[in-house]
Amino acid sequence: MIGSLRGEVLDRSGAELLVEVAGLGYRVQVTPDVAMSMPPGESVFLHVHHHRREDAEVLYGFASLEDRRVFETLIGTHGVGPALGLAILSVHD
């Protein structure tokens, strides 16, 4: 499981960052606020939730450990998936 990433932002597209770590690029889903605070070319550190499904593996990145823990609590709630959990975090502190 991937728990965190430290590297350089190569690209920012909407609420997705491409973070290069030791020559390997990771696509990370983030809230719009986090994406806007991390411009390409900047060094970043993200706390990561590595979400696995049968058909995909997705990384969700957070600026703080507390945000990641809240996200994991949200997606542990019946009826709340990762997309909704990220949307909730993007509008609530």
Side-chain angles (χ1 to χ4, degrees), residues 13-61:
S13 176
E16 180 179 281
L17 298 175
L18 177 61
V19 179
E20 184 178 69
V21 179
L24 186 60
Y26 292 91
R27 293 171 55 189
V28 184
Q29 302 297 311
V30 296
T31 63
D33 288 346
V34 170
M36 293 308 296
S37 71
M38 299 183 177
E42 189 149 316
S43 293
V44 298
F45 177 84
L46 293 169
H47 296 274
V48 172
H49 172 81
H50 185 173
H51 191 77
R52 292 182 177 201
R53 297 188 321 224
E54 282 184 24
D55 61 340
E57 292 190 33
V58 181
L59 300 178
Y60 294 92

